[in-house]
Amino acid sequence: MKIAIGVIALLIIFSIIQYNAIVQAKVRVDSAWSQIDVQLQRRMDLIGNLVETVKGYANHEKSTLEAVISARAKAVSSSSPAESAANQNMLTQALGKLLMISEAYPELKANQNFLSLQDELTSTEGRVAYSRNYYNESVQIYNTRISSFPSNIYAKMQNATLKEFFITDEASRVAPKVQF
Amino acid sequence: MDLLASRAKWRTLAILALMYAIMLQLGYIVALLGGYQVGIAAIAIVSVIALMVDAYSYWQCDKIVIRITGARVVSASEAPFLHNMIEELCIASGLPKPQIAIVDDPSLNAFATGRDPQHALVAVNTGLLEALDDNELRGVLAHEMSHIYNRDIFVSAVSAVCVRIVSAIANGFIFAGIAALTAPSAPGRKTKEEQDAENGRRAMGLGLLLIGTFLAITFVPALAILQFAISRTRESMADLTGVKFTKDPEALASALRKITGSDIPTYTRAGGTAHMWIAKPQFTGGGLSNWMSSLTSSHPDPATRIATIDAVARGQSVDLALAKQTQSSASIAFAGLLAAALVIIPGYFVGTNPLQVGIVSDYYGTDGDYTDTGNSDGSSDGYYEEEVNPDADGGFGDGTTTDNGDVNPEDATGGLGDGSSDESTDETDAEPDAVGGLG
């Protein structure tokens, strides 16, 4: 009798730990996702300012500027990790082009505002990359946990489903080197 | 480093050492004067105080380490560059931002401390800031952040406490043995029984002394060596975890090359802080302690570390390497706990047998004698009975020892079990995190 009670008590404790471990992993994924959001938002703001600055010097590069603006708008409105990743990749490419053409404008390159924006953008790119790594790691931990036995039983109890990775293409995995 | 600051450090260290020596000495003197029971009690009290000091220094380690090393906490405006890097690594690791400090020291080193991620501190020597480029510095900072991430300060505190408990038990046996051997015998003529009891006491004393000495020359050093082995695997783990954060093994390898190639040694102010630094500090004690530190190293051989990281740089899976280190760390910790349990658990059970001496309870020797002499006006029959199965002793034994036997050992083993399972849950918690994190 005593043994049975002991076994049941252990089982309950084990279940609580297992259940909460999944909750914890899920919370980690969510907070990792919001951390990416924070960094991406910072990136968006910087890009907005950058576009404004470039406009003042190179307004006739309309197509490039518009490509960046529309890519930025799309990136802001993306909802799922996969969609966001694709849009971010597009934005990174457009941004690369924009920075390339600004090579041709010596006045722009001498602009203090432009330089500091560029510095900040570089640092933010690093942060975006780090937050993505952390998100993917968190997703991996979470996915492993909810699919492996016996925690998958407890995952079913809370209707846990596999999370998507934030996949970036090879080029944007490393922060783009913004060099002049 | 200016003279005044270093003198202050030495004074702190000297005071600590002196306090510890005085405490041990007091226990010894009390044991000689008051008999072995008082001696054992004194040793127990001293050990408990020492453990409380350990607990306190673990709890307050960030502040204590700042005092000992002379690290200066820097704000974001003082060291924007360092803060920026640490913030990046916080994003990469999901850790809260630690305090950041700079140590005015030309040697190439850095360390992390703090009882948990919320009270963590990362400190960098000025020498390191000058010698390393951005990526190398990021690699070193990631190593330090990994110490926080892997809860290495907790791990090393637990392993240090295990060694301390076992060595306290060994000391207790030795002191009790010495006291039982050297306690003066009662004056005047003795009956055969009294003589037997005294001989028994002396034999017991010799036995205790032998057991204590055996523990002191086998288990204590073995555990200390295991403690260093744990420290080494935690260092390798921190290297690999750091590489996972930065994804830049080349930078850490080149930083380690620079650090080991540097001929400015870090003179640590306290041997106890060795495990925290990225490179093994030199001990200031001179010949003997240098020999000791080569025998028991808190850090793996730099060449091995660099080779491991280079293998990762060449494309070997960082997850596999990390899993290997985590495994060996866990198995060493398990071996250590097992070895400690081998000493600690019997240490409690010894107290259950009234014919033997425990750490906490006493054995039948002198108590029986005293009761006997007090009762000696009684019949010789009772005398004999008391000798063979002394009532007073039996009562005492029933009162204390049986209690010890029934409650304490379970408590003790339960406590120990809790401790070890805590450790292992920590370990297993860390493992999936670390391993699962592998992309």
Side-chain angles (χ1 to χ4, degrees), chain B residues 4-43:
Chain B
L4 257 177
S6 83
R7 270 178 65 185
K9 283 169 216 153
W10 275 111
R11 214 167 40 214
T12 319
L13 189 64
I15 289 171
L16 277 177
L18 197 68
M19 267 171 56
Y20 198 71
I22 287 175
M23 285 194 328
L24 276 180
Q25 207 55 40
L26 266 179
Y28 182 66
I29 290 169
V30 168
L32 285 184
L33 291 181
Y36 58 97
Q37 297 100 327
V38 186
I40 294 167
I43 293 285

Coordinates of all heavy atoms in Angstrom, one line a residue, chain B residues 4-43:
Chain B
L4 N 49.2 49.1 -3.5 CA 48.2 49.2 -2.4 C 47.1 48.1 -2.6 O 46.8 47.4 -1.7 CB 47.6 50.5 -2.3 CG 48.1 51.5 -1.2 CD1 47.4 52.8 -1.3 CD2 47.8 50.8 0.1
A5 N 46.6 48.1 -3.9 CA 45.6 47.1 -4.1 C 46.0 45.7 -3.9 O 45.3 44.9 -3.3 CB 45.1 47.3 -5.6
S6 N 47.3 45.4 -4.4 CA 47.7 44.0 -4.2 C 48.0 43.7 -2.8 O 47.7 42.6 -2.3 CB 49.0 43.8 -5.1 OG 50.1 44.2 -4.4
R7 N 48.4 44.7 -2.0 CA 48.6 44.4 -0.6 C 47.3 44.1 0.1 O 47.2 43.2 0.9 CB 49.3 45.6 0.1 CG 50.8 45.5 0.1 CD 51.4 46.7 0.7 NE 51.1 46.8 2.1 CZ 51.5 47.8 2.9 NH1 52.2 48.8 2.3 NH2 51.3 47.9 4.1
A8 N 46.2 44.9 -0.3 CA 44.9 44.6 0.3 C 44.4 43.2 -0.1 O 43.9 42.5 0.8 CB 43.9 45.6 -0.3
K9 N 44.7 42.8 -1.3 CA 44.3 41.4 -1.7 C 45.0 40.4 -0.8 O 44.4 39.4 -0.4 CB 44.7 41.2 -3.1 CG 43.7 41.8 -4.1 CD 44.3 41.8 -5.5 CE 43.9 43.0 -6.3 NZ 44.9 43.3 -7.3
W10 N 46.3 40.6 -0.6 CA 47.1 39.7 0.2 C 46.6 39.6 1.6 O 46.6 38.5 2.2 CB 48.6 40.0 0.2 CG 49.2 39.4 -1.0 CD1 49.8 40.1 -2.1 CD2 49.4 38.0 -1.3 NE1 50.2 39.2 -3.0 CE2 50.1 38.0 -2.6 CE3 49.1 36.9 -0.6 CZ2 50.4 36.7 -3.2 CZ3 49.5 35.7 -1.2 CH2 50.1 35.6 -2.4
R11 N 46.2 40.8 2.1 CA 45.7 40.8 3.5 C 44.4 40.0 3.6 O 44.3 39.2 4.5 CB 45.5 42.2 3.9 CG 45.8 42.4 5.4 CD 45.9 43.9 5.7 NE 44.9 44.7 5.1 CZ 45.0 45.9 4.7 NH1 46.2 46.5 4.9 NH2 44.1 46.6 4.1
T12 N 43.5 40.2 2.6 CA 42.3 39.4 2.6 C 42.6 37.9 2.6 O 42.0 37.2 3.4 CB 41.4 39.7 1.4 OG1 41.5 41.1 1.1 CG2 40.0 39.3 1.5
L13 N 43.5 37.5 1.7 CA 43.8 36.1 1.6 C 44.4 35.6 2.9 O 44.1 34.5 3.4 CB 44.8 35.9 0.5 CG 45.1 34.5 0.1 CD1 43.8 33.9 -0.4 CD2 46.1 34.5 -1.0
A14 N 45.3 36.4 3.5 CA 46.0 36.0 4.7 C 45.1 35.8 5.8 O 45.1 34.8 6.6 CB 47.1 37.0 5.0
I15 N 44.1 36.7 5.9 CA 43.1 36.7 7.0 C 42.3 35.4 6.9 O 42.0 34.7 7.8 CB 42.2 37.9 7.0 CG1 43.1 39.1 7.5 CG2 41.0 37.7 7.9 CD1 42.4 40.5 7.3
L16 N 41.9 35.1 5.6 CA 41.1 33.9 5.4 C 41.8 32.7 5.8 O 41.3 31.8 6.5 CB 40.7 33.9 3.9 CG 39.4 34.7 3.5 CD1 39.2 34.6 2.0 CD2 38.2 34.2 4.3
A17 N 43.1 32.6 5.4 CA 43.9 31.4 5.6 C 44.1 31.3 7.2 O 44.0 30.2 7.7 CB 45.2 31.5 4.9
L18 N 44.3 32.4 7.8 CA 44.6 32.4 9.2 C 43.3 31.9 10.0 O 43.4 31.1 10.9 CB 44.9 33.8 9.7 CG 45.6 33.9 11.1 CD1 47.0 33.3 11.0 CD2 45.7 35.3 11.5
M19 N 42.2 32.4 9.5 CA 40.9 32.1 10.2 C 40.7 30.6 10.1 O 40.3 29.9 11.1 CB 39.7 32.8 9.5 CG 39.4 34.1 10.2 SD 38.2 35.0 9.3 CE 36.8 33.8 9.1
Y20 N 41.0 30.0 8.9 CA 40.8 28.6 8.7 C 41.7 27.8 9.6 O 41.3 26.8 10.2 CB 41.0 28.3 7.2 CG 40.3 27.0 6.9 CD1 39.0 26.8 6.8 CD2 41.1 25.9 6.6 CE1 38.4 25.6 6.5 CE2 40.6 24.7 6.2 CZ 39.2 24.5 6.2 OH 38.6 23.3 5.9
A21 N 43.0 28.2 9.6 CA 44.0 27.5 10.4 C 43.6 27.5 11.9 O 43.7 26.5 12.6 CB 45.3 28.1 10.2
I22 N 43.1 28.7 12.3 CA 42.8 28.8 13.7 C 41.6 27.9 14.1 O 41.6 27.2 15.1 CB 42.4 30.3 14.1 CG1 43.7 31.1 14.1 CG2 41.7 30.4 15.4 CD1 43.4 32.6 14.3
M23 N 40.6 27.9 13.2 CA 39.5 27.0 13.4 C 39.9 25.5 13.5 O 39.5 24.8 14.4 CB 38.4 27.2 12.3 CG 37.7 28.5 12.4 SD 36.2 28.7 11.4 CE 36.5 27.7 10.0
L24 N 40.7 25.1 12.6 CA 41.2 23.7 12.7 C 42.0 23.4 13.9 O 41.8 22.4 14.6 CB 42.0 23.4 11.4 CG 41.3 23.0 10.2 CD1 42.2 22.7 9.1 CD2 40.4 21.8 10.5
Q25 N 42.9 24.4 14.3 CA 43.7 24.2 15.4 C 42.9 24.2 16.7 O 43.1 23.3 17.6 CB 44.7 25.4 15.5 CG 46.0 25.2 16.2 CD 46.7 24.0 15.6 OE1 46.7 23.8 14.4 NE2 47.2 23.1 16.4
L26 N 41.9 25.0 16.7 CA 41.0 25.0 17.9 C 40.3 23.7 18.1 O 40.3 23.1 19.2 CB 39.9 26.1 17.7 CG 40.2 27.4 18.3 CD1 39.0 28.4 18.0 CD2 40.3 27.3 19.8
G27 N 39.9 23.1 17.0 CA 39.2 21.8 17.0 C 40.2 20.8 17.6 O 39.8 19.9 18.4
Y28 N 41.4 20.9 17.2 CA 42.5 19.9 17.6 C 42.7 20.0 19.1 O 42.8 19.1 19.8 CB 43.7 20.1 16.7 CG 44.8 19.2 17.1 CD1 44.6 17.8 16.8 CD2 46.0 19.6 17.6 CE1 45.6 16.9 17.0 CE2 47.0 18.7 17.9 CZ 46.8 17.4 17.6 OH 47.8 16.5 17.9
I29 N 42.9 21.3 19.5 CA 43.2 21.5 20.9 C 42.1 21.1 21.8 O 42.3 20.4 22.8 CB 43.5 23.0 21.2 CG1 44.9 23.3 20.5 CG2 43.6 23.3 22.7 CD1 45.2 24.8 20.4
V30 N 40.9 21.4 21.4 CA 39.7 21.0 22.1 C 39.6 19.5 22.2 O 39.4 18.9 23.3 CB 38.4 21.6 21.5 CG1 37.2 20.9 22.1 CG2 38.3 23.1 21.7
A31 N 40.0 18.8 21.1 CA 40.0 17.4 21.1 C 41.0 16.8 22.1 O 40.7 15.8 22.9 CB 40.3 16.8 19.7
L32 N 42.2 17.4 22.2 CA 43.2 16.9 23.2 C 42.7 17.2 24.6 O 43.0 16.4 25.5 CB 44.5 17.6 22.9 CG 45.2 17.1 21.6 CD1 46.6 17.8 21.5 CD2 45.4 15.6 21.7
L33 N 42.2 18.4 24.8 CA 41.8 18.8 26.2 C 40.6 18.1 26.7 O 40.5 17.5 27.8 CB 41.6 20.3 26.3 CG 42.9 21.1 26.2 CD1 42.6 22.6 26.3 CD2 44.0 20.7 27.2
G34 N 39.5 18.1 25.9 CA 38.2 17.7 26.3 C 37.9 16.2 26.0 O 36.8 15.8 26.3
G35 N 38.8 15.5 25.5 CA 38.5 14.1 25.1 C 37.9 14.1 23.7 O 37.6 15.1 23.1
Y36 N 37.9 12.9 23.2 CA 37.5 12.8 21.8 C 36.1 13.2 21.4 O 35.8 13.7 20.4 CB 37.8 11.4 21.3 CG 37.1 10.3 22.0 CD1 35.9 9.8 21.5 CD2 37.6 9.9 23.2 CE1 35.2 8.9 22.2 CE2 36.9 8.9 23.9 CZ 35.7 8.4 23.4 OH 35.0 7.5 24.1
Q37 N 35.2 13.0 22.4 CA 33.8 13.3 22.1 C 33.7 14.8 21.8 O 33.1 15.2 20.8 CB 32.8 12.9 23.2 CG 32.7 11.5 23.5 CD 33.6 11.1 24.7 OE1 34.6 11.8 24.9 NE2 33.2 10.2 25.5
V38 N 34.2 15.6 22.7 CA 34.2 17.0 22.5 C 35.0 17.4 21.2 O 34.5 18.3 20.5 CB 34.8 17.7 23.7 CG1 34.7 19.2 23.6 CG2 34.2 17.2 25.0
G39 N 36.1 16.7 21.0 CA 36.9 16.9 19.8 C 36.0 16.7 18.5 O 36.1 17.5 17.6
I40 N 35.3 15.6 18.5 CA 34.5 15.3 17.4 C 33.4 16.3 17.2 O 33.2 16.8 16.1 CB 33.8 13.9 17.5 CG1 34.9 12.8 17.5 CG2 32.9 13.6 16.4 CD1 34.4 11.5 18.0
A41 N 32.8 16.7 18.3 CA 31.8 17.8 18.2 C 32.4 19.0 17.7 O 31.8 19.7 16.8 CB 31.2 18.0 19.6
A42 N 33.7 19.4 18.1 CA 34.3 20.6 17.7 C 34.6 20.5 16.2 O 34.3 21.4 15.4 CB 35.6 20.8 18.4
I43 N 35.1 19.3 15.8 CA 35.4 19.1 14.3 C 34.1 19.3 13.5 O 34.0 19.9 12.5 CB 35.9 17.7 14.1 CG1 37.3 17.6 14.7 CG2 36.0 17.4 12.6 CD1 38.4 18.3 14.0

